Structures are given as C-alpha cells and as structure tokens.
Amino acid sequence: MDRILVTGGTGYIGSHTVVELQQAGYSVVIIDDLSNSNREVIDGIERITGIRPDFVEGDCTDMQTLSKLFADYPDIKGIINFAASKAVGESMQKPILYYRNNLNTLLNLLDLMGPNGVKGIVFSSSCTVYGEPDENPVTEKAPIKKATSPYGNTKQISEEIITDVINAGAPFKSVILRYFNPVGAHPSAEIGELPNGVPQNLIPYLTQTAIGIRQELSVFGDDYDTPDGSCIRDYINVVDLAKAHVIAVKRMLEDKSDAKIEIFNLGTGNGVSVLELINVFEEATGVKVPHKIVGRRAGDIEKVWANPAYANEVLGWKATSTLADTMRSAWAWQLKLRERGVM
Ligand code: UD1
C-alpha cells in the first residue's frame, strides 16, 4: 500500500489518524518535533495496531530535514499535515512563532510535493475560519470572517496558500478539512490528548478537574444568547475525525474526484453547550465535575456548530460516536494517565 507522511503524527489528532491509516493498510512515516507530544505515543500506536510507524524526529520548518525525509522515503504518495502550533491564547503572545511554524511548514511541504511525486495533501483547518457565524449550522459556503487570533489567521492564510499553489498548476490535489471541536480519546485508552501545562481547552481541563488535579472548572460565561447562557460548540469524537482523514487521503490518491481542491466541515451537526457537556460527562461516567460560572473568555465565539451534510454525502463519512461514549473515552484516558503516573 501507499506510504503517507503524517506531519505532527505524535500529536493528538495526528496519532489517532496514524492508527486509522495503519488499520486501513497504509504505510506511515511520522515527522514530529515532539514540541507538544512525546515518543511514548508511538508505543501506544504500536500496541493498538501491532505496527510501529516509522518516525523521524524533526522540525518541518527546516527544509533540509524535509528534503532528507523525502529522499529517505521515495514512496511517499500523500501527506496529512497536522504539524502546527494550536493554542489560540499563546498565538496572541507569540505571533511570530505561530506564523513561522504553521506557514513555513506548509510552504516547505508544498514546495517538495511536486518534485517528489506526492499526489495530495490533507490540511487540518478549523471552524475558526467562520468566526462568529451569521447562521448555524454552518455550511462550507458560509463567509470567512476576519480572524481574531494569529492562530486562526494561520488557518485562513494556509487555505489561501494551498488554493493559490494549486490554481497555479501544481501537480497535486488537496483536501482541506475544517474541524469543529475534537474531543475524546481512542477507546483502547492507549492514546489521547496530552496538553502541556495547564489545559486551555475544555475537555482536558474538565477531566483534570474530575480527577482532582484542578480544583474547579471555570465555565466561561452564562450570559450568552443560548438556551442555558453558556457557549455552544460541535464536539466531534477524535476517532470519527481521524477516519475522515483516511477517506480524504484515499480520495486524492485514487483520483475519485475531478476537483483539485475540496473543503469539508467535519462535525456532528449537534450544538452542545458547556453546561450540557458537563452534564453528559457526569452522567456518562458517574463522576462529578466541580465547576463555577466565571466571566466570558476574551475572543470566544457564542455559538458554532457544523452542517456536515456535504462531508456525509460526498465522503460517505459520518460522525457516529455518541457524546456519552466520547466522554467515557476521555475519562478512561485520564485514568490511564494517572495509572501510568504521567499526571
Ligand atoms: C478553540 C479555537 C479552535 C481551535 C481549538 C483548539 C476559536 C474560535 N476556536 O476552540 O479553532 O481549534 O481552540 O485549540 O479560536 N471553556 C470553558 N472553560 C474552560 C475551557 C473552555 O468554559 O476552562 C469553554 C469555552 O468558553 C468554549 C468551550 O468551552 O465555549 C470550548 O472551548 P475550547 O475547548 O477552548 O475550544 P474553542 O475555544 O471552541
């Protein structure tokens, strides 16, 4: 089977995608600088799939590292690019880091694809490109709003770069996937999300509170124009999300579409509030999450959820996990981290 280069493949979504790729029969080589992950993730992938993916420790912003990788692996046919910095708040403090990491990585990959005979690249984009949408659920035709953070801007600029490069006649295709809010862990609890330091995202903060690492979860605002006043998001199971990448890669490599660029929303189609999510977690696991309402977090969107109909129809993909199962998987992963003494 064809070999796929997974940049950022030891990260959260990357590692789950490597599992699905290997289970679908693809050979994988991962490149990751381990800036927000660690080598043990590769052991987890091997325990789940029985196959140890090839791994190169390196930084994709370094052209020489990437050139050597393509020379060492002349059989790479597709790329899934997860290598990026992804913390919204940090991007406000360190814009140069974000622009350099996220954009140079993409430019280097696009530059090397043609000469190395790579047929396509799947790009990790985000619902953040829609900003505060005029209507929900959001389709792919919704207008792109001005980004409110350097992180969000890197996603918008990256989509434009890919479009410009392909329109200029590049000999490859791209599938751009706009994720809503990825959550949960592999059902085996061998891999999951492992944020550095104090988590900024809801689910890792919630599970760390439930297990007692954090005292209390702050719910950022209960005065939004939503039924219970807390923000609404579309929480998508990370394994469901990973499976969409395998379909996207196959679609490009097997030329199943005439289009050279395709864009898909990946979400469940269900909007869930922060308070509802806490309830689902508590009911699914039987574990209480101490929480309090605090003020709004700067930059938060009030409500956003996907219309995934286009992905459902064209990719034949659908998010199938229940939110309760997803919450149980996140909890099982947190318990596993404790068992291993990680945290
Ligand atoms: C943000 C980005 C998204 C990015 C994702 C992952 C925007 C608009 N969205 O999503 O593009 O891919 O981060 O880094 O930039 N919440 C709490 N308490 C907490 C943490 C979060 O109440 O301690 C609430 C937030 O207010 C929000 C929801 O939980 O309503 C989800 O927050 P979070 O997990 O941080 O993701 P987003 O901000 O939606």
Side-chain angles (χ1 to χ4, degrees):
M1 267 291 244
D2 293 324
R3 186 179 296 274
I4 310 298
L5 169 63
V6 183
T7 73
T10 53
Y12 174 43
I13 306 172
S15 58
H16 289 80
T17 300
V18 171
V19 165
E20 296 303 318
L21 283 168
Q22 294 194 153
Q23 288 179 336
Y26 288 100
S27 307
V28 172
V29 54
I30 294 172
I31 179 167
D32 202 302
D33 65 0
L34 303 178
S35 58
N36 196 22
S37 59
N38 59 64
R39 278 171 198 282
E40 278 133 50
V41 174
I42 301 163
D43 302 330
I45 294 169
E46 185 177 10
R47 281 195 292 272
I48 297 169
T49 62
I51 304 162
R52 195 167 183 84
D54 284 15
F55 173 68
V56 174
E57 183 177 349
D59 178 352
C60 296
T61 66
D62 180 36
M63 196 63 164
Q64 279 180 346
T65 304
L66 276 185
S67 299
K68 179 170 187 314
L69 188 150
F70 280 107
D72 290 345
Y73 291 92
D75 56 343
I76 292 171
K77 287 287 173 296
I79 298 174
I80 307 183
N81 179 29
F82 295 105
S85 302
K86 62 166 188 178
V88 176
E90 185 188 46
S91 79
M92 311 286 265
Q93 311 301 323
K94 301 178 184 170
I96 293 177
L97 173 81
Y98 273 68
Y99 286 114
R100 179 177 289 143
N101 268 357
N102 296 7
L103 300 182
N104 285 356
T105 292
L106 179 65
L107 289 170
N108 287 347
L109 291 169
L110 293 173
D111 210 0
L112 288 167
M113 285 175 71
N116 289 287
V118 182
K119 293 182 72 176
I121 180 165
V122 178
F123 180 72
S124 303
S125 190
S126 166
C127 69
T128 196
V129 303
Y130 300 119
E132 184 79 61
D134 301 326
E135 27 182 293
N136 279 295
V138 181
T139 71
E140 292 81 355
K141 295 203 169 72
I144 302 299
K145 298 279 179 68
K146 184 170 167 41
T148 54
S149 70
Y151 160 77
N153 209 19
T154 67
K155 295 300 176 191
Q156 294 192 1
I157 297 170
S158 294
E159 290 195 2
E160 289 173 356
I161 290 174
I162 292 169
T163 307
D164 288 344
V165 169
I166 289 185
N167 285 343
F172 49 80
K173 291 183 171 183
S174 182
V175 175
I176 292 171
L177 301 176
R178 292 179 180 157
Y179 313 150
F180 283 65
N181 285 54
V183 293
H186 196 270
S188 64
E190 293 288 359
I191 54 173
E193 190 171 9
L194 189 53
N196 278 339
V198 181
Q200 305 298 313
N201 294 113
L202 179 59
I203 292 302
Y205 205 104
L206 185 156
T207 56
Q208 289 190 13
T209 305
I211 208 164
I213 298 171
R214 315 271 159 215
Q215 228 176 5
E216 205 168 30
L217 170 69
S218 296
V219 175
F220 296 138
D222 69 345
D223 56 352
Y224 285 99
D225 182 19
T226 61
D228 65 22
S230 63
C231 291
I232 295 180
R233 296 288 183 274
D234 185 334
Y235 295 96
I236 167 135
N237 179 283
V238 67
V239 176
D240 284 341
L241 187 67
K243 288 182 200 287
H245 292 75
V246 179
I247 296 170
V249 141
K250 194 169 161 63
R251 189 171 170 80
M252 291 187 311
L253 299 195
E254 296 178 6
D255 274 320
K256 289 189 174 162
S257 162
D258 291 336
K260 296 201 82 181
I261 309 175
E262 292 184 294
I263 299 180
F264 298 99
N265 281 348
L266 298 182
T268 66
N270 300 318
V272 175
S273 77
V274 176
L275 291 170
E276 283 173 333
L277 192 69
I278 295 171
N279 266 330
V280 173
F281 179 89
E282 290 183 338
E283 280 180 18
T285 61
V287 180
K288 286 282 169 205
V289 183
H291 60 277
K292 62 165 188 260
I293 310 289
V294 301
R296 294 182 176 195
R297 179 171 72 176
D300 263 341
I301 300 299
E302 181 171 88
K303 48 185 177 241
V304 57
W305 67 95
N307 178 338
Y310 187 60
N312 296 166
E313 272 165 42
V314 176
L315 296 180
W317 166 90
K318 205 171 178 353
T320 53
S321 309
T322 67
L323 194 53
D325 280 342
T326 302
M327 290 301 104
R328 276 189 282 270
S329 72
W331 181 233
W333 169 244
Q334 186 68 63
L335 291 171
K336 180 58 87 66
L337 289 175
R338 157 117 340 147
E339 191 186 303
R340 287 197 203 143
V342 178
M343 57 167 59

mmCIF file of all heavy atoms in Angstrom, residues 125-147:
data_model
loop_
_atom_site.group_PDB
_atom_site.id
_atom_site.type_symbol
_atom_site.label_atom_id
_atom_site.label_comp_id
_atom_site.label_asym_id
_atom_site.label_seq_id
_atom_site.Cartn_x
_atom_site.Cartn_y
_atom_site.Cartn_z
ATOM 1 N N SER A 125 -7.649 22.258 8.861
ATOM 2 C CA SER A 125 -8.117 23.609 9.111
ATOM 3 C C SER A 125 -9.121 23.569 10.262
ATOM 4 O O SER A 125 -9.206 22.563 10.976
ATOM 5 C CB SER A 125 -8.699 24.218 7.835
ATOM 6 O OG SER A 125 -8.939 25.594 8.036
ATOM 7 N N SER A 126 -9.850 24.642 10.432
ATOM 8 C CA SER A 126 -10.649 24.759 11.645
ATOM 9 C C SER A 126 -11.905 25.563 11.373
ATOM 10 O O SER A 126 -11.926 26.452 10.506
ATOM 11 C CB SER A 126 -9.808 25.473 12.706
ATOM 12 O OG SER A 126 -10.614 25.897 13.773
ATOM 13 N N CYS A 127 -12.942 25.308 12.175
ATOM 14 C CA CYS A 127 -14.161 26.107 12.092
ATOM 15 C C CYS A 127 -13.884 27.545 12.511
ATOM 16 O O CYS A 127 -14.731 28.409 12.334
ATOM 17 C CB CYS A 127 -15.254 25.505 12.960
ATOM 18 S SG CYS A 127 -14.929 25.648 14.723
ATOM 19 N N THR A 128 -12.710 27.781 13.062
ATOM 20 C CA THR A 128 -12.354 29.145 13.454
ATOM 21 C C THR A 128 -12.378 30.088 12.254
ATOM 22 O O THR A 128 -12.557 31.294 12.414
ATOM 23 C CB THR A 128 -10.973 29.158 14.172
ATOM 24 O OG1 THR A 128 -10.843 30.389 14.859
ATOM 25 C CG2 THR A 128 -9.823 28.986 13.228
ATOM 26 N N VAL A 129 -12.240 29.547 11.024
ATOM 27 C CA VAL A 129 -12.277 30.418 9.833
ATOM 28 C C VAL A 129 -13.652 31.083 9.660
ATOM 29 O O VAL A 129 -13.756 32.112 8.998
ATOM 30 C CB VAL A 129 -11.879 29.669 8.521
ATOM 31 C CG1 VAL A 129 -10.499 29.047 8.642
ATOM 32 C CG2 VAL A 129 -12.914 28.639 8.115
ATOM 33 N N TYR A 130 -14.700 30.519 10.271
ATOM 34 C CA TYR A 130 -16.036 31.116 10.137
ATOM 35 C C TYR A 130 -16.289 32.215 11.167
ATOM 36 O O TYR A 130 -17.330 32.882 11.120
ATOM 37 C CB TYR A 130 -17.122 30.041 10.293
ATOM 38 C CG TYR A 130 -17.043 28.928 9.274
ATOM 39 C CD1 TYR A 130 -16.849 27.608 9.664
ATOM 40 C CD2 TYR A 130 -17.161 29.200 7.914
ATOM 41 C CE1 TYR A 130 -16.781 26.585 8.737
ATOM 42 C CE2 TYR A 130 -17.092 28.178 6.978
ATOM 43 C CZ TYR A 130 -16.903 26.870 7.396
ATOM 44 O OH TYR A 130 -16.840 25.857 6.468
ATOM 45 N N GLY A 131 -15.364 32.373 12.137
ATOM 46 C CA GLY A 131 -15.560 33.373 13.189
ATOM 47 C C GLY A 131 -16.897 33.147 13.880
ATOM 48 O O GLY A 131 -17.296 32.012 14.120
ATOM 49 N N GLU A 132 -17.580 34.250 14.212
ATOM 50 C CA GLU A 132 -18.944 34.141 14.775
ATOM 51 C C GLU A 132 -19.875 34.047 13.569
ATOM 52 O O GLU A 132 -20.127 35.036 12.888
ATOM 53 C CB GLU A 132 -19.244 35.391 15.613
ATOM 54 C CG GLU A 132 -20.573 35.364 16.325
ATOM 55 C CD GLU A 132 -20.563 34.529 17.588
ATOM 56 O OE1 GLU A 132 -19.812 34.838 18.512
ATOM 57 O OE2 GLU A 132 -21.318 33.537 17.624
ATOM 58 N N PRO A 133 -20.383 32.854 13.263
ATOM 59 C CA PRO A 133 -21.135 32.700 12.013
ATOM 60 C C PRO A 133 -22.483 33.419 12.064
ATOM 61 O O PRO A 133 -23.078 33.546 13.128
ATOM 62 C CB PRO A 133 -21.321 31.182 11.900
ATOM 63 C CG PRO A 133 -21.102 30.637 13.262
ATOM 64 C CD PRO A 133 -20.267 31.610 14.026
ATOM 65 N N ASP A 134 -22.943 33.861 10.902
ATOM 66 C CA ASP A 134 -24.247 34.539 10.834
ATOM 67 C C ASP A 134 -25.375 33.560 11.113
ATOM 68 O O ASP A 134 -26.406 33.926 11.645
ATOM 69 C CB ASP A 134 -24.438 35.178 9.448
ATOM 70 C CG ASP A 134 -23.330 36.184 9.159
ATOM 71 O OD1 ASP A 134 -22.870 36.850 10.121
ATOM 72 O OD2 ASP A 134 -22.892 36.279 7.996
ATOM 73 N N GLU A 135 -25.215 32.326 10.678
ATOM 74 C CA GLU A 135 -26.230 31.325 10.992
ATOM 75 C C GLU A 135 -25.606 29.974 11.288
ATOM 76 O O GLU A 135 -24.521 29.662 10.810
ATOM 77 C CB GLU A 135 -27.269 31.182 9.867
ATOM 78 C CG GLU A 135 -26.789 31.525 8.477
ATOM 79 C CD GLU A 135 -27.904 31.409 7.451
ATOM 80 O OE1 GLU A 135 -28.366 30.279 7.197
ATOM 81 O OE2 GLU A 135 -28.295 32.455 6.891
ATOM 82 N N ASN A 136 -26.331 29.209 12.113
ATOM 83 C CA ASN A 136 -25.941 27.836 12.435
ATOM 84 C C ASN A 136 -27.064 26.896 12.019
ATOM 85 O O ASN A 136 -28.222 27.287 12.072
ATOM 86 C CB ASN A 136 -25.719 27.708 13.950
ATOM 87 C CG ASN A 136 -24.354 28.217 14.354
ATOM 88 O OD1 ASN A 136 -23.348 27.660 13.975
ATOM 89 N ND2 ASN A 136 -24.329 29.290 15.137
ATOM 90 N N PRO A 137 -26.770 25.658 11.622
ATOM 91 C CA PRO A 137 -25.423 25.108 11.459
ATOM 92 C C PRO A 137 -24.699 25.734 10.268
ATOM 93 O O PRO A 137 -25.342 26.261 9.360
ATOM 94 C CB PRO A 137 -25.684 23.617 11.234
ATOM 95 C CG PRO A 137 -27.044 23.553 10.625
ATOM 96 C CD PRO A 137 -27.823 24.674 11.254
ATOM 97 N N VAL A 138 -23.362 25.627 10.286
ATOM 98 C CA VAL A 138 -22.521 26.291 9.305
ATOM 99 C C VAL A 138 -22.198 25.346 8.151
ATOM 100 O O VAL A 138 -21.723 24.229 8.374
ATOM 101 C CB VAL A 138 -21.198 26.708 9.983
ATOM 102 C CG1 VAL A 138 -20.299 27.424 9.003
ATOM 103 C CG2 VAL A 138 -21.467 27.586 11.186
ATOM 104 N N THR A 139 -22.440 25.817 6.930
ATOM 105 C CA THR A 139 -22.010 25.028 5.763
ATOM 106 C C THR A 139 -20.669 25.570 5.277
ATOM 107 O O THR A 139 -20.220 26.626 5.707
ATOM 108 C CB THR A 139 -23.008 25.131 4.588
ATOM 109 O OG1 THR A 139 -22.909 26.448 4.034
ATOM 110 C CG2 THR A 139 -24.435 24.851 5.032
ATOM 111 N N GLU A 140 -20.086 24.860 4.331
ATOM 112 C CA GLU A 140 -18.789 25.271 3.766
ATOM 113 C C GLU A 140 -18.927 26.573 2.977
ATOM 114 O O GLU A 140 -17.928 27.216 2.669
ATOM 115 C CB GLU A 140 -18.226 24.177 2.841
ATOM 116 C CG GLU A 140 -17.802 22.909 3.554
ATOM 117 C CD GLU A 140 -18.938 21.949 3.878
ATOM 118 O OE1 GLU A 140 -20.116 22.298 3.627
ATOM 119 O OE2 GLU A 140 -18.662 20.846 4.391
ATOM 120 N N LYS A 141 -20.156 26.962 2.642
ATOM 121 C CA LYS A 141 -20.352 28.187 1.854
ATOM 122 C C LYS A 141 -20.440 29.428 2.734
ATOM 123 O O LYS A 141 -20.490 30.549 2.225
ATOM 124 C CB LYS A 141 -21.636 28.061 1.036
ATOM 125 C CG LYS A 141 -21.554 26.958 -0.018
ATOM 126 C CD LYS A 141 -22.555 27.210 -1.147
ATOM 127 C CE LYS A 141 -22.311 26.289 -2.313
ATOM 128 N NZ LYS A 141 -22.704 24.906 -2.015
ATOM 129 N N ALA A 142 -20.467 29.250 4.040
ATOM 130 C CA ALA A 142 -20.548 30.406 4.946
ATOM 131 C C ALA A 142 -19.326 31.295 4.732
ATOM 132 O O ALA A 142 -18.239 30.801 4.430
ATOM 133 C CB ALA A 142 -20.607 29.929 6.400
ATOM 134 N N PRO A 143 -19.498 32.612 4.877
ATOM 135 C CA PRO A 143 -18.365 33.508 4.634
ATOM 136 C C PRO A 143 -17.244 33.310 5.657
ATOM 137 O O PRO A 143 -17.503 32.981 6.815
ATOM 138 C CB PRO A 143 -18.972 34.905 4.767
ATOM 139 C CG PRO A 143 -20.285 34.728 5.439
ATOM 140 C CD PRO A 143 -20.741 33.324 5.206
ATOM 141 N N ILE A 144 -16.022 33.513 5.171
ATOM 142 C CA ILE A 144 -14.850 33.505 6.058
ATOM 143 C C ILE A 144 -14.814 34.869 6.748
ATOM 144 O O ILE A 144 -14.919 35.898 6.082
ATOM 145 C CB ILE A 144 -13.555 33.309 5.216
ATOM 146 C CG1 ILE A 144 -13.622 32.014 4.410
ATOM 147 C CG2 ILE A 144 -12.317 33.357 6.092
ATOM 148 C CD1 ILE A 144 -13.739 30.765 5.227
ATOM 149 N N LYS A 145 -14.680 34.855 8.081
ATOM 150 C CA LYS A 145 -14.647 36.127 8.828
ATOM 151 C C LYS A 145 -13.211 36.458 9.211
ATOM 152 O O LYS A 145 -12.380 35.561 9.352
ATOM 153 C CB LYS A 145 -15.485 35.989 10.108
ATOM 154 C CG LYS A 145 -16.957 35.694 9.881
ATOM 155 C CD LYS A 145 -17.738 36.956 9.549
ATOM 156 C CE LYS A 145 -19.207 36.684 9.292
ATOM 157 N NZ LYS A 145 -19.953 36.266 10.474
ATOM 158 N N LYS A 146 -12.961 37.730 9.409
ATOM 159 C CA LYS A 146 -11.606 38.143 9.791
ATOM 160 C C LYS A 146 -11.175 37.393 11.050
ATOM 161 O O LYS A 146 -11.918 37.329 12.028
ATOM 162 C CB LYS A 146 -11.571 39.649 10.038
ATOM 163 C CG LYS A 146 -10.172 40.144 10.341
ATOM 164 C CD LYS A 146 -10.072 41.651 10.355
ATOM 165 C CE LYS A 146 -8.762 42.131 10.968
ATOM 166 N NZ LYS A 146 -7.565 41.374 10.598
ATOM 167 N N ALA A 147 -9.981 36.816 11.004
ATOM 168 C CA ALA A 147 -9.509 36.016 12.129
ATOM 169 C C ALA A 147 -9.294 36.892 13.365
ATOM 170 O O ALA A 147 -8.880 38.041 13.244
ATOM 171 C CB ALA A 147 -8.205 35.322 11.757
#
